[in-house]
Amino acid sequence: MRKLRIGIIGAGGIAQSRHIPVLLKLSDNASITAVCDVNEETAKMAAEKFGISKAYTDYKDLLRETDAVVICTPNKFHAEITAAAMEAGLHVLCEKPMAMTAEECRNMIEARDKSGKILAIAYHYRFMKEAQAAKKLIAENEIGLPFAVRARAMRRRKVPGWGVFTNKELQGGGSLIDYGCHLLDLSLWLLGNPAETEVSGTAYNTLSKMTEQVNLWGSFDHQSFNVDDHVTAYIKFANGASLLFETSWSANIERDDESLSLSGQYGGIDLFPFRLNQSKHGMLLNTHSEWLPGEDDYALMQARNFINSCLGREEFIVKAEEALQTTRIIDAIYKSSEMGRREIF
C-alpha cells in the first residue's frame, strides 16, 4: 500500500515540536516528503533536523509532490493556503484557529466542497482521553442533556514572547484566538454544537500594557501590544444551554487553570481531573476515574486520525463546520467587546 505523502507548510515551533515528530512515528502509513517556510534558513534547518529530503520557501512548489499538507503558518495565511491546496487536489490539516474570520472559514469549506478532499482543523483537545471519556458518557446519557458549561483557559503571566503571537495583523487576536479557542471548541463539541443565539464578551489588554512586566514566556513590547490578553464571555444556545467562558495569557491568579465542567439533568462532569458527579439512590456520588482508555499523546492521536481519514478508514473528529462555529463565536466575542453590546444571531 502506498504511503500518504505529507508536506509541512510553516516550519516553526508548532511544526517542529508537534506535527513533524508525531508524523514520523506513523511512518508505516505516511511519509513527510517536503517542508516549506518563507524563511529559507528555518525550512532547511527543519529538513536537516528531521531527515526530510526537500525544503522550499514557496508553498506552491510543495503542492506538486504531496497528497496532503499540514498548515502551521500564522493565522492570516490559513485560508489562502487551504484554498490553493484544495485546488491542487490535496487533503489539509490546518492548525487552529481555522482562520482569521468566519468568512474566511466559509471560503475554506467552499474550496473543500469543490475538491472533495478532507479538511481537518487541529483542535487537538478533542483527542484528550478526558474529552473522549466525557463525550462517551454524554452519548450514553449518564448526565442527561448538558445545559450549563463552565470553561476556563487561564495562564499566569505567560504571554508568548516569541513568534508572531502578539501580532494582530498576522494572528487576528491574542489569548482568545490563540489559546482560549481550544476550550471554547471543546465546550461546543461536548454540547453537541448547538446553534448559538447570543454572545456577550469583553476583551482586555490592560495587564500587558503596564510598564513593568513579569512574564514567564519571554519578553514583548508593552507599548505596541494591541491584542487581547484576557477575555470573558457568556454564550447562549438555541437548545437552552449556556456557556460561561474565560481565558487569559496573563491573569493574576495563583496558578494556571485549565478547567471544563458540564452540568446536566442527571449529573455533571469535570474534565481536568476527570470526575462524574451524580445524585442517585438518595445519595450524592462522585466517581473518579482510575483509568481512561486512549493515549496520553493526543497529538499522535490527531495525526493518526487525519491519516486514516485521508486513506478512507475513518472520519476526522474535528469537522470544518464545527471549527467554523468556534471562529464565528470568536468573531462575536470580539465584536461584542468592541461595540459594547451583545451579539444576537
Side-chain angles (χ1 to χ4, degrees):
M1 182 183 67
R2 186 172 68 87
K3 294 182 181 180
L4 187 74
R5 300 174 302 161
I6 299 178
I8 308 295
I9 302 177
I14 197 66
Q16 294 191 39
S17 66
R18 179 174 298 150
H19 292 287
I20 296 176
V22 297
L23 287 170
L24 291 175
K25 293 179 181 179
L26 301 170
S27 58
D28 287 348
N29 292 304
S31 62
I32 303 175
T33 57
V35 64
C36 172
D37 198 280
V38 292
N39 185 314
E40 184 176 8
E41 183 179 350
T42 300
K44 288 182 176 179
M45 181 188 70
E48 182 178 352
K49 178 179 178 181
F50 294 102
I52 301 169
S53 60
K54 296 182 180 180
Y56 298 106
T57 56
D58 187 338
Y59 72 83
K60 295 183 180 67
D61 295 327
L62 177 148
L63 300 181
R64 291 192 289 266
E65 51 191 84
T66 58
D67 304 308
V69 294
V70 179
I71 300 174
C72 305
T73 66
N75 302 339
K76 181 177 181 178
F77 308 109
H78 287 185
E80 170 198 327
I81 297 173
T82 294
M86 289 286 171
E87 187 174 348
L90 307 182
H91 304 292
V92 173
L93 172 60
C94 181
E95 254 300 336
K96 59 76 194 169
M98 186 171 177
M100 296 267 276
T101 66
E103 181 180 2
E104 289 183 350
C105 294
R106 294 186 189 97
N107 292 338
M108 294 165 71
I109 291 174
E110 182 179 351
R112 178 207 63 187
D113 292 343
K114 289 180 179 178
S115 72
K117 298 298 180 179
I118 300 294
L119 173 56
I121 311 302
Y123 278 118
H124 62 257
Y125 276 47
R126 295 197 197 183
F127 294 87
M128 291 181 172
K129 292 190 293 185
E130 296 86 352
Q132 291 290 315
K135 190 71 170 176
K136 182 177 178 63
L137 290 184
I138 293 169
E140 294 183 358
N141 205 36
E142 284 288 341
I143 68 169
L145 179 69
F147 61 82
V149 181
R150 297 157 297 279
R152 302 184 84 222
M154 306 289 288
R155 291 176 181 154
R156 182 181 186 183
R157 296 295 180 171
K158 290 189 175 82
V159 176
W162 59 84
V164 297
F165 288 101
T166 60
N167 186 321
K168 189 172 184 177
E169 181 182 354
L170 293 178
Q171 294 293 90
S175 60
L176 171 58
I177 202 169
D178 164 61
Y179 174 44
C181 64
H182 277 302
L183 271 292
L184 176 59
D185 174 80
L186 182 54
S187 298
L188 296 172
W189 183 59
L190 292 175
L191 281 172
N193 292 96
E196 68 276 18
T197 59
E198 184 179 316
V199 174
S200 297
T202 305
Y204 305 89
N205 68 358
T206 305
L207 293 171
S208 299
K209 300 294 287 185
M210 297 172 67
T211 55
E212 294 187 12
Q213 289 295 323
V214 177
N215 192 60
L216 303 184
W217 281 5
S219 59
F220 59 91
D221 183 1
H222 73 277
Q223 292 181 315
S224 62
F225 190 93
N226 67 346
V227 297
D228 53 283
D229 60 12
H230 199 125
V231 170
T232 59
Y234 182 68
I235 303 148
K236 298 177 72 174
F237 300 93
N239 68 349
S242 60
L243 168 59
L244 188 62
F245 173 78
E246 184 177 17
T247 187
S248 180
W249 273 339
S250 53
N252 286 317
I253 53 179
E254 182 182 6
R255 62 178 65 90
D256 293 356
D257 177 16
E258 282 191 350
S259 59
L260 196 159
S261 63
L262 304 96
S263 294
Q265 299 160 301
Y266 313 132
I269 298 173
D270 297 323
L271 265 72
F272 309 117
F274 190 84
R275 184 174 62 242
L276 173 64
N277 310 308
Q278 295 176 307
S279 56
K280 296 173 68 174
H281 313 299
M283 296 175 279
L284 297 180
L285 303 174
N286 298 332
T287 304
H288 300 264
S289 60
E290 290 295 329
W291 176 84
L292 293 174
E295 297 184 33
D296 291 328
D297 191 344
Y298 44 82
L300 180 66
M301 295 178 66
Q302 175 180 259
R304 182 185 292 124
N305 183 222
F306 175 62
I307 291 169
N308 286 337
S309 298
C310 295
L311 296 175
R313 298 171 180 170
E314 59 188 67
E315 290 188 16
F316 195 72
I317 287 177
V318 186
K319 305 292 191 299
E321 287 81 3
E322 295 167 352
L324 162 61
Q325 182 185 23
T326 302
T327 296
R328 193 167 62 232
I329 291 176
I330 289 171
D331 283 355
I333 292 172
Y334 283 141
K335 187 174 181 181
S336 172
S337 179
E338 180 183 355
M339 302 301 292
R341 56 173 171 77
R342 60 184 178 174
E343 289 295 303
I344 306 296
F345 291 85

